[in-house]
Amino acid sequence: MCGIVGYYGPRAPKDVILDGLKRLEYRGYDSAGVAILHDGEFKRVRASGKLSELAKKLEGEPFGGRLGIGHTRWATHGVPSERNAHPHKVEGVSLVHNGIIENYQEIREELRSSGAEFTSDTDSELVAHLLAREVRGTNDLFAAVQGVIPKLKGAYSILAVWEKQPEVLVAFKNGPPLVLGVGDGEIVVASDVQAIVSYTNKIVYLEDFEIALVQGASYGVYSDKGEPLRKPVHTLNWNADAVEKAGFRHFMLKEIYEQPRAVAQAIAPHVDLDRMTVRLAGVGMDVPYDRLEAVDALKDSENTAERLSLVERVFVIACGTSFYAGQVAKYLIESLAKVPVETDIASEFRYREPVIPPRSLVVVISQSGETADTLAALRLAKRAGAMTLSICNVRRSSIDREAQGHLYMNSGAEIGVASTKAFVSTLALVNLFSLFLARARGGITADQERRHLEALLATPAQMEAVLSYDKWFAEAAERLKGYRGVLYMARGVNFPIAMEGALKLKELAYMHAEGYAAGEMKHGPLALIDERMLIVMVAPTDQHYEKTLSNLEEARARGGHIISLGTGDNQELKRLSRYYLSLPKAEWTVNPILAVIPLQLLAYHVADNLGHDVDQPRNLAKSVTVE
Ligand code: AGP
């Protein structure tokens, strides 16, 4: 989704804004632009396509001022083009916008009837028109923004500047994230801290309906009614190096290689190694939650374990890859803790009028912590009186801030649009959570907990071994890209991994792929199988192995070419498959963490071999802040 950067300070705004937009590239975009102060006016430069196109246009452009705003656009209203790129400028007001104005038609008609002329097809330009009209009356940009907010419906965050107040930048948040970086004599405003960390680690997170007023190097945060707010300044422990490629060709490949560390970092805070037990440190479910009035027993209980022991139903809600992690959680929680689990795609959950009984726990999973549908699902769950727990990578993101309890992926910055390390970290966390819940409810013995924990603690080292398939897939990519499509199949806890493998191939290689429960094959997909169809069968030695093997025989009998993933030196699988990839022997609970790595590598190498932009696949965004 769109990226926003604004800067006031002694450095060249052009450089800071371009650098910031570059660091936000992962969000996905199709055009970009800046408006920077020069000789008393905000000079606008925009370009369609990649940031390098904008950079070319900016070469040699003199900008004398200290203030500027910039934007990468991900088209919603109007095709990707220079005329639709931001900033939009109307009568000296320049504006960048992230989100969607839902009452766009109505505003456009109203503006048109009062004589406005439009230079783009965007909803964002309308906001610039409204602001230009308002500022004529208020003669003050902050007051103009306040005046325009009630006229807009939808989710939208904006930065605005006005030529008559050349030291002033106004930022408003309603939906898409906005953060302020407070440096020494300089201020950076951006959609994500990644655009800020090179300049300062002092961060102020704006909440919905807050307005930040930057005046020179000082700032204030206000409610939309204009009341001053006292906002905490957080100190980040990230640094800019964390968002470099470190010698890898792509962020995605670097992130695939970082997975063993990501899993170790996700696990570390939550394991008591002396007692070999899960402790879910700092999860925060013991903090009183004012919306629990309908669940008195939960409210009265003293700590996280007690609270969770009273949970009678778990809902796991997420989108995309995070949703597949949620489906793995269902298998683990139901099997280990014996609590019924419903999983739902957030965009369905929020509109299907779900029944959320008392003593329900709603777990929302989101790497970015900003996914609009997941955030809406969380809010719905809170209104229904459920306990809520978020699993996020980005701390202080909207979902993290609004959930009652928190688990952190601790994966470090994930830049590749295709999620990899955040996924495996989540799988590790749902392992821990299931064990914790199982213990809290008396569902497993200390010995069982120890066995599962030992298996989990061993995974980072086992993952290192699986990463060696990198070379194999690099060599096989040329052959694999020739298939008409790929069917990924598995059973049980690995079924979501089949779906995740298919999603990875779709989003990166733009090849058709499906993830299926292997037992479903004869109910339809078998008809697809011939020698042009590649079958990827995830078949580790677990309780489903024999049945998966029969499904493999069926696929082979129809001429499908098979890559199988099994445990150790499995002769049966070798005989039935064109290619056999061996996974280390592990507990069923951690097999998904190991099995997903070859599927990520397959998608990565096929996409790279096809010449696709692996880190920024077409049409996709990292942080999906509109529904
Ligand atoms: C993953 O590779 C995707 N690009 C996408 O499905 C992603 O997982 C989804 O949009 C959810 O994002 P979140 O985890 O940040 O909420």
Side-chain angles (χ1 to χ4, degrees):
M1 301 284 119
C2 310
I4 285 178
V5 183
Y7 178 75
Y8 176 88
R11 304 173 206 252
K14 176 176 89 172
D15 297 342
V16 177
I17 293 169
L18 262 184
D19 173 60
L21 292 177
K22 187 113 197 85
R23 292 182 189 274
L24 298 181
E25 270 192 313
Y26 72 90
R27 299 168 70 85
Y29 70 104
D30 45 58
S31 52
V34 300
I36 298 172
L37 195 62
H38 181 66
D39 278 349
E41 69 169 271
F42 283 93
K43 200 164 156 189
R44 183 168 65 145
V45 181
R46 299 177 296 169
S48 188
K50 289 285 172 193
L51 272 174
S52 50
E53 299 302 316
L54 178 67
K56 265 188 235 155
K57 284 189 160 185
L58 285 170
E59 259 169 40
E61 280 280 353
F63 292 104
R66 297 180 139 223
L67 183 62
I69 56 176
H71 188 262
T72 43
R73 172 173 186 256
W74 191 81
T76 56
H77 294 66
V79 296
S81 64
E82 185 175 330
R83 73 188 285 275
N84 287 333
H86 301 214
H88 291 285
K89 189 170 181 183
V90 178
E91 296 170 21
V93 171
S94 298
L95 164 134
V96 293
H97 161 232
N98 185 359
I100 290 181
I101 307 299
E102 285 171 2
N103 53 340
Y104 154 87
Q105 286 297 358
E106 198 184 299
I107 298 175
R108 197 172 166 96
E109 282 320 307
E110 196 249 315
L111 285 167
R112 194 199 300 279
S113 62
S114 58
E117 285 177 10
F118 305 109
T119 57
S120 79
D121 310 314
T122 65
D123 51 348
S124 315
E125 187 192 348
L126 307 184
V127 187
H129 275 279
L130 290 176
L131 267 179
R133 195 167 71 179
E134 195 78 18
V135 85
R136 270 185 243 140
T138 61
N139 211 27
D140 176 66
L141 187 61
F142 181 84
V145 170
Q146 271 187 291
V148 165
I149 293 166
K151 301 189 169 85
L152 305 176
K153 289 197 187 123
Y156 48 89
S157 291
I158 58 170
L159 295 191
V161 289
W162 183 38
E163 283 164 10
K164 294 212 174 135
Q165 291 180 305
E167 296 260 294
V168 169
L169 180 156
V170 180
F172 171 71
K173 174 183 182 307
N174 168 25
L178 271 186
V179 284
L180 246 71
V182 185
D184 190 9
E186 58 186 345
I187 305 270
V188 193
V189 191
S191 305
D192 189 325
V193 292
Q194 284 175 31
I196 298 177
V197 285
S198 305
Y199 308 100
T200 175
N201 63 352
K202 301 277 180 268
I203 303 292
V204 177
Y205 295 91
L206 292 188
E207 300 292 345
D208 283 354
F209 291 97
E210 290 181 354
I211 311 178
L213 171 61
V214 176
Q215 286 179 295
S218 55
Y219 76 96
V221 180
Y222 302 84
S223 73
D224 55 342
K225 307 285 174 299
E227 297 121 351
L229 303 171
R230 289 169 70 92
K231 298 281 294 178
V233 179
H234 298 268
T235 304
L236 278 190
N237 56 6
W238 281 14
N239 58 35
D241 297 347
V243 290
E244 301 297 344
K245 280 190 199 143
F248 285 90
R249 260 166 57 70
H250 296 102
F251 281 111
M252 184 185 172
L253 191 59
K254 170 177 168 260
E255 288 158 8
I256 289 174
Y257 272 87
E258 284 171 348
Q259 292 185 114
R261 196 174 68 205
V263 165
Q265 287 170 180
I267 300 170
H270 304 301
V271 180
D272 181 334
L273 288 171
D274 295 329
R275 297 196 194 135
M276 279 305 267
T277 183
V278 183
R279 59 175 177 216
L280 287 198
V283 70
M285 301 296 296
D286 46 347
V287 175
Y289 178 31
D290 59 6
R291 299 206 73 107
L292 280 175
E293 50 275 13
V295 199
D296 286 339
L298 293 175
K299 197 170 165 188
D300 291 339
S301 56
E302 297 268 318
N303 61 42
T304 302
E306 266 180 56
R307 279 202 167 182
L308 292 179
S309 70
L310 296 166
V311 165
E312 287 176 359
R313 181 173 294 266
V314 176
F315 292 79
V316 188
I317 316 295
C319 302
T321 290
S322 292
F323 173 69
Y324 297 136
Q327 288 199 309
V328 171
K330 177 181 169 74
Y331 284 90
L332 293 170
I333 297 171
E334 290 195 334
S335 174
L336 295 170
K338 314 287 180 222
V339 183
V341 180
E342 276 186 45
T343 54
D344 225 324
I345 292 169
S347 55
E348 288 298 310
F349 180 80
R350 65 182 287 196
Y351 291 119
R352 77 167 163 85
E353 299 182 32
V355 176
I356 306 177
R359 300 195 176 197
S360 290
L361 170 70
V362 175
V363 181
V364 285
I365 304 176
S366 176
Q367 185 285 131
S368 62
E370 299 294 349
T371 301
D373 284 318
T374 312
L375 181 59
L378 168 66
R379 289 175 178 165
L380 184 155
K382 286 171 74 176
R383 284 197 300 276
M387 276 201 288
T388 58
L389 171 68
S390 64
I391 301 183
C392 291
N393 194 30
V394 180
R395 286 176 189 242
R396 308 287 313 155
S397 56
S398 303
I399 291 173
D400 179 35
R401 293 201 299 270
E402 293 194 25
Q404 179 200 3
H406 319 271
L407 281 172
Y408 295 109
M409 299 173 191
N410 285 347
S411 314
E414 189 181 70
I415 308 292
V417 165
S419 186
T420 52
K421 59 179 179 171
F423 180 69
V424 291
S425 292
T426 309
L427 298 185
L429 287 174
V430 298
N431 255 272
L432 291 169
F433 179 75
S434 310
L435 291 172
F436 189 81
L437 195 58
R439 261 321 273 290
R441 295 171 58 86
I444 54 168
T445 62
D447 274 354
Q448 286 167 319
E449 184 181 9
R450 167 183 294 271
R451 180 165 54 84
H452 284 298
L453 255 188
E454 278 169 358
L456 187 59
L457 290 165
T459 42
Q462 293 179 313
M463 292 167 81
E464 299 282 359
V466 183
L467 282 169
S468 62
Y469 285 119
D470 184 19
K471 196 162 174 293
W472 189 84
F473 280 112
E475 284 162 11
E478 182 63 29
R479 272 167 285 150
L480 299 179
K481 75 178 185 195
Y483 284 95
R484 177 164 53 97
V486 184
L487 265 182
Y488 292 78
M489 283 185 267
R491 281 176 179 257
V493 73
N494 294 300
F495 164 41
I497 298 305
M499 291 192 283
E500 169 60 6
L503 178 67
K504 282 285 154 290
L505 196 73
K506 280 184 261 204
E507 63 183 344
L508 296 165
Y510 318 148
M511 276 169 74
H512 186 70
E514 293 286 350
Y516 258 96
E520 268 289 291
M521 225 177 39
K522 53 176 85 64
H523 301 286
L526 212 50
L528 286 172
I529 296 179
D530 59 24
E531 68 290 344
R532 290 171 304 156
M533 183 63 87
L534 181 66
I535 316 288
V536 177
M537 188 68 91
V538 182
T541 309
D542 60 11
Q543 66 270 44
H544 302 291
Y545 172 69
E546 295 299 334
K547 291 199 189 310
T548 314
L549 201 65
S550 316
N551 300 132
L552 198 66
E553 299 265 18
E554 290 158 7
R556 187 165 176 264
R558 270 80 187 175
H561 290 182
I562 295 163
I563 297 182
S564 63
L565 272 67
T567 306
D569 183 27
N570 187 321
Q571 295 302 324
E572 266 170 324
L573 289 177
K574 275 187 185 166
R575 180 177 56 80
L576 291 171
S577 315
R578 184 162 279 233
Y579 309 107
Y580 172 70
L581 308 183
S582 143
L583 299 173
K585 189 170 181 308
E587 277 290 332
W588 70 271
T589 45
V590 300
N591 274 333
I593 303 178
L594 302 172
V596 77
I597 296 173
L599 309 193
Q600 296 165 339
L601 288 166
L602 189 161
Y604 169 82
H605 282 294
V606 170
D608 189 33
N609 191 284
L610 286 164
H612 297 165
D613 184 342
V614 180
D615 284 333
Q616 291 157 42
R618 70 183 181 199
N619 307 337
L620 298 182
K622 182 72 178 164
S623 188
V624 184
T625 51
V626 294
E627 61 172 302

